[in-house]
Amino acid sequence: MSTTQSDRLRGLLEPLVAAKGLDLEEIELSKAGRRRMLRIVVDSDEGVELDACAELSREVSDALDASDVMGEDEYVLEVSSPGADRPLSEHRHYVRAIGRLVKFQLAESGELVARILSVDDEGMDLEVPGVKGRKATARRIAFTDIAKARVEIEFNRKDKKEEEA
């Protein structure tokens, strides 16, 4: 049975990442000059702190050094959390984005910017902000209607904790 380097990396890394209570979101291996760059992206429902990335990076480095997955060539290892503007593609990404404003590219063309209120197995309930003083409206959208989705960065939105205070 032949396995690719990507499959071998995933097999080695997933148990390490899961042991930290994190999800392995992405493994990217690319060239950076004469060296290779191995970028590992992890996430969790609570987010990922810098210390957790650093600790995981040390463990991944040790595991890679003890295995032959990366071969003999030099490489640079980067362990990070996904950026705030990363695409939403998995069910868990939408669940983690509850309460956030999201820009949807709809499969039937068109664009929609709305706040995710709740998520279930078929889709999600949204609040579409009102324009020019109009009230926000509710909308339901199915996952099958979404071509692409990305969280919109809000600089002036109050945090839930601030609103409750």
Side-chain angles (χ1 to χ4, degrees), residues 35-103:
R35 293 185 186 168
R36 294 174 295 163
M37 168 71 94
L38 176 60
R39 183 172 288 120
I40 300 165
V41 180
V42 296
D43 201 5
S44 79
D45 291 343
E46 295 78 37
V48 181
E49 294 185 3
L50 186 59
D51 290 343
C53 284
E55 185 178 324
L56 181 61
S57 179
R58 286 188 290 276
E59 290 182 22
V60 166
S61 179
D62 291 344
L64 290 171
D65 289 347
S67 78
D68 65 344
V69 175
M70 292 299 291
E72 297 297 319
D73 296 336
E74 291 183 23
Y75 64 92
V76 175
L77 173 64
E78 179 183 296
V79 176
S80 66
S81 62
D85 64 344
R86 67 116 182 253
L88 304 178
S89 57
E90 302 284 333
H91 184 270
R92 67 178 177 264
H93 298 163
Y94 291 100
V95 171
R96 290 175 184 159
I98 290 175
R100 306 284 307 269
L101 198 61
V102 175
K103 184 176 191 176

Side-chain angles (χ1 to χ4, degrees), residues 19-37:
K20 296 286 183 198
L22 302 172
D23 296 317
L24 181 58
E25 294 289 345
E26 185 179 338
I27 299 172
E28 180 185 323
L29 185 59
S30 60
K31 284 278 192 191
R34 293 190 315 219
R35 293 185 186 168
R36 294 174 295 163
M37 168 71 94

